[in-house]
Amino acid sequence: MANELEAGFTGSPVEKPEGIRKVASDTASAIKREANAVAVGVTDHPQAASSLILGIGAAAFGIGYLLGRSVSTRNRYWR
């Protein structure tokens, strides 16, 4: 009985996407490929990945600290 059921769309669209839909589809597939490549790289080299994340975090903290410090030296008194 379940094999006789033919409900729903199980094929591929007749018309190929074109224009903005094609660009969106190509971009989505490229992002999926790159995300997969990053995931494979992280699983192959976990120490390098954690060092990279730690380094980026330290650099972001340093930049934020310097920006915050430069703002506080200009306006020493709150109004």
Side-chain angles (χ1 to χ4, degrees), residues 35-69:
N36 188 32
V38 168
V40 168
V42 167
T43 56
D44 288 345
H45 308 286
Q47 291 88 3
S50 61
S51 297
L52 181 65
I53 290 172
L54 188 63
I56 290 172
F61 177 79
I63 290 171
Y65 177 77
L66 291 175
L67 287 174
R69 185 118 171 117

Side-chain angles (χ1 to χ4, degrees), residues 9-33:
F9 179 73
T10 58
S12 59
V14 177
E15 298 177 5
K16 296 288 184 186
E18 54 186 43
I20 191 73
R21 289 184 182 182
K22 181 173 179 10
V23 171
S25 175
D26 292 344
T27 303
S29 65
I31 290 172
K32 288 177 186 175
R33 284 193 313 267

